[in-house]
Amino acid sequence: MDQLTLPEPFTHYSWFDGQQGHKVFYCHSTPNASSTSLIVLSIGRAESAIKYTALANHWVKNGFTVIACDHRGQGFSQRLDKNPLLGHIERFDYYISDLKCLFEKFNAPHYSKRYLLGHSMGGAIATLYLNQYPDDFSAAIVTAPMYGIALEHISQWRAKFLTSIFNWRDQLIRKAHFAAGQGTFNWPPFEKNRLTHSQENYQTLWELYQKYPQLQLAGPSFQWLSQSFKAMKQIARLPRLNTPLHIISAGADTIVDVHAQRQFFNRQQQLGSTITFQNIPGAFHELLIEEDIYRTPTLQTMQTYLKHACSMA
């Protein structure tokens, strides 16, 4: 693998063998011998962990060790198709398995206080992880979790039906294809973006992809969509979660389905889970790189929630 120069605090990095031997990139802050608190980041689709350097620095200054991996098929991890821009996955479960490998490789049980933070697709991965491994983390926070995909010009049932048909074709011919209209790395002008109201943060994110062009990823494959629809269905039907979970929802999100987040919260609350829900009105999907009017209450909530969780752990 190539040598990389990464920003603080993610100057320590390597790769591990995930499911089927695929190389998965991970990075972490400098281990502190006296630190008893660990934060594991589960990032979104098409992202890299180094997008979260500002957030990680914040937690490191507060005494946490921070670790994250680039999910398989994206970031600095091994791509899963001959076309490196294709957002692909064999099975959604592999995301969870890879995260468990990271947990064990980093000797996470060494830390007495362990917290999982997930964003978007990483929020869906985190939620399924909590169901499979309820004892691994003391508490978790998910921001704009992908419990459903926001669809503008097609109904949910039709999108799922067409995805299953085209994915069946791809399985038959053993060749993955981009979902409709998803074949290029598209970076819209700020005025048309649906991620953040902050032009400065949007520009910073663009500069990250320019500095590290190997991070660029285009749209998803039919297989990724098919597996994601199945994962979201599974999330909606999960039994009671035993790990405390806080959901932070972006009120003006057009990437993921805010209604599905609320439904999941309501169901888990009825089941007796220790779960809380917060909506940030007017915020776009990228809560952690939003304008301060949206980002500040998000960070304040995370700080308060983890401080309380630390005192209870």
Side-chain angles (χ1 to χ4, degrees):
M1 296 291 185
D2 296 336
Q3 285 293 112
L4 300 170
T5 302
L6 301 182
E8 293 282 356
F10 290 137
T11 52
H12 297 260
Y13 68 89
S14 188
W15 286 262
F16 64 87
D17 290 331
Q19 286 288 316
Q20 297 186 318
H22 288 296
K23 298 295 182 182
V24 178
F25 172 87
Y26 73 98
C27 55
H28 57 89
S29 60
T30 306
N32 184 339
S34 63
S35 175
T36 60
S37 301
L38 173 71
I39 287 179
V40 176
L41 299 178
S42 178
I43 65 176
R45 196 195 82 83
E47 296 183 342
S48 172
I50 62 172
K51 171 192 169 188
Y52 293 86
T53 54
L55 180 69
N57 274 315
H58 171 79
W59 294 116
V60 169
K61 290 175 182 176
N62 282 274
F64 290 86
T65 297
V66 182
I67 183 171
C69 70
D70 288 1
H71 299 303
R72 59 176 49 229
Q74 67 184 58
F76 293 116
S77 292
Q78 182 180 347
R79 300 298 166 102
L80 304 176
D81 190 81
K82 292 180 180 179
N83 182 350
L85 291 178
L86 180 66
H88 191 57
I89 187 64
E90 314 97 318
R91 292 168 51 96
F92 203 92
D93 286 349
Y94 288 172
Y95 289 135
I96 291 93
S97 298
D98 288 344
L99 196 60
K100 181 62 173 177
C101 286
L102 176 68
F103 183 88
E104 294 176 343
K105 184 175 182 62
F106 202 72
N107 193 25
H110 165 75
Y111 295 85
S112 59
K113 302 168 184 176
R114 304 182 296 272
Y115 307 102
L116 180 58
L117 305 185
H119 173 66
S120 194
M121 181 185 81
I125 294 168
T127 303
L128 289 169
Y129 188 101
L130 296 178
N131 177 63
Q132 277 190 249
Y133 306 105
D135 299 324
D136 281 2
F137 291 99
S138 310
I141 300 173
V142 291
T143 59
M146 190 186 76
Y147 295 162
I149 298 175
L151 301 173
E152 296 182 63
H153 306 297
I154 187 172
S155 63
Q156 289 280 343
W157 75 265
R158 185 173 176 81
K160 293 175 182 178
F161 173 74
L162 291 175
T163 296
S164 65
I165 293 297
F166 284 112
N167 186 52
W168 176 81
R169 176 207 62 185
D170 287 358
Q171 296 292 312
L172 193 63
I173 64 176
R174 297 185 179 181
K175 180 176 174 57
H177 289 86
F178 283 104
Q182 299 292 318
T184 59
F185 176 70
N186 181 33
W187 195 259
F190 172 73
E191 294 74 16
K192 294 184 178 181
N193 99 89
R194 301 183 297 164
L195 300 178
T196 176
H197 289 90
S198 171
Q199 188 165 4
E200 179 182 356
N201 290 340
Y202 190 70
Q203 179 65 25
T204 299
L205 188 58
W206 168 244
E207 290 171 358
L208 182 70
Y209 289 115
Q210 295 303 295
K211 184 175 181 180
Y212 302 99
Q214 63 268 51
L215 297 181
Q216 295 180 13
L217 191 72
S221 66
F222 285 112
Q223 173 75 0
W224 184 90
L225 276 176
S226 178
Q227 285 293 307
S228 294
F229 281 135
K230 289 178 182 178
M232 290 181 287
K233 184 177 181 180
Q234 183 182 355
I235 288 170
R237 298 179 177 180
L238 284 180
R240 176 183 179 274
L241 294 178
N242 293 320
T243 306
L245 174 66
H246 182 63
I247 301 169
I248 307 179
S249 178
D253 203 329
T254 59
I255 305 297
V256 298
D257 188 350
V258 176
H259 181 63
Q261 296 166 2
R262 177 65 74 172
Q263 284 185 315
F264 174 80
F265 165 71
N266 290 338
R267 183 174 185 275
Q268 284 295 317
Q269 192 176 47
Q270 290 171 2
L271 290 172
S273 299
T274 305
I275 189 168
T276 46
F277 185 94
Q278 177 186 13
N279 179 267
I280 308 293
F284 281 173
H285 182 65
E286 292 289 349
L287 284 162
L288 298 171
I289 58 168
E290 254 289 16
E291 288 274 16
D292 285 347
I293 190 175
Y294 309 115
R295 182 174 179 269
T296 298
T298 300
L299 292 177
Q300 287 175 340
T301 295
M302 295 172 79
Q303 180 90 14
T304 302
Y305 187 80
L306 290 191
K307 184 178 180 180
H308 176 72
C310 279
S311 66
M312 299 295 289

